[in-house]
Amino acid sequence: MEMRLCPNNHYYDQSVHAQCPYCNASAAAPSAAPSDAGKTAPLSPGSADIGKTVPLMPTEFAGKTEAAWGTPPPGTAADDDRTRAIIREEIGLDPVVGWLVCSEGPEKGRDYRMHADNNFIGRAENMDITIRNDDTVSRVNHAVISYDARDKTYFFAQGSGRGIVRVNGKAVLSTVELKAYDKVEIGSTKFVFVPLCGEGFDWVV
């Protein structure tokens, strides 16, 4: 597979499509919703990125089996098939369930939306939550923030990154439950956790 970036900032598999299928779909049906709706999008790649070949998955995953990972690498077909959220099955899409809001760091003021189940955090563009401009954050799976739609509970855990992550100033060495407005530290960046779903509201009743 060979992923490429079209002039309209869409990634597509050039071995399957000669031209960007998203641009062609938009031209044929202008009212159709974009296929990447709900995902954290890249900031606006410069013209130098257009047409550049990008890896289907980071080199950290190359040659590793799912057993070695424990869970399939985020962004792979196996991952998409096996981690279909309860919410997505109920209402047909993957809506926001909460946010991390950057309170200190290179992207201060920016918010990162979360979906149900696991949200993998790192600098790579294929992460569920991409933290750019902080070199102290690992490219892949530095940490994981999760929403359990069944129990209406949020969790936070250290990933495979070398740097220790913290909640309210305390090191997280095992999975911890997150509460509204907890302070989360990943690399040199600090966030405020803002939940949407819970006892007062949920997408699935």
Side-chain angles (χ1 to χ4, degrees):
M1 295 184 182
E2 184 179 47
M3 303 300 290
R4 297 184 73 83
L5 180 68
C6 81
N8 292 320
N9 301 330
H10 301 132
Y11 288 100
Y12 66 98
D13 186 353
Q14 193 180 36
S15 66
V16 177
H17 305 283
Q19 296 179 332
C20 176
Y22 308 113
C23 293
N24 291 341
S26 297
S31 61
S35 62
D36 59 352
K39 293 185 177 179
T40 301
L43 283 174
S44 296
S47 58
D49 292 327
I50 296 174
K52 184 184 295 183
T53 300
V54 296
L56 185 62
M57 74 169 61
T59 55
E60 286 88 340
F61 299 132
K64 292 187 178 180
T65 64
E66 290 184 9
W69 262 87
T71 58
T76 65
D79 179 55
D80 292 339
D81 290 341
R82 289 175 54 184
T83 60
R84 295 188 62 191
I86 294 172
I87 294 175
R88 190 187 314 159
E89 292 176 355
E90 288 286 332
I91 67 176
L93 54 88
D94 210 358
V96 62
V97 300
W99 300 266
L100 284 181
V101 180
C102 183
S103 58
E104 187 176 322
E107 299 187 11
K108 183 177 180 178
R110 184 177 178 186
D111 66 296
Y112 306 80
R113 60 181 292 163
M114 298 165 39
H115 54 72
D117 292 340
N118 294 327
N119 296 263
F120 295 92
I121 303 171
R123 282 188 293 116
E125 295 297 337
N126 68 334
M127 294 290 96
D128 298 289
I129 296 175
T130 301
I131 303 173
R132 305 170 182 88
N133 305 317
D134 185 348
D135 291 338
T136 62
V137 175
S138 298
R139 252 182 18 94
V140 175
N141 195 20
H142 191 121
V144 182
I145 188 168
S146 310
Y147 175 64
D148 183 344
R150 243 177 236 175
D151 293 337
K152 305 184 189 305
T153 308
Y154 297 85
F155 298 98
F156 182 72
Q158 172 84 34
S160 57
R162 292 182 60 187
I164 291 176
V165 295
R166 299 177 185 275
V167 173
N168 298 325
K170 295 183 178 180
V172 174
L173 303 178
S174 60
T175 302
V176 298
E177 185 175 344
L178 282 181
K179 299 296 185 182
Y181 306 109
D182 276 347
K183 309 299 188 296
V184 175
E185 297 179 37
I186 305 171
S188 299
T189 303
K190 296 182 180 180
F191 306 88
V192 176
F193 167 62
V194 182
L196 171 63
C197 297
E199 294 303 323
F201 170 81
D202 206 340
W203 295 106
V204 179
V205 179

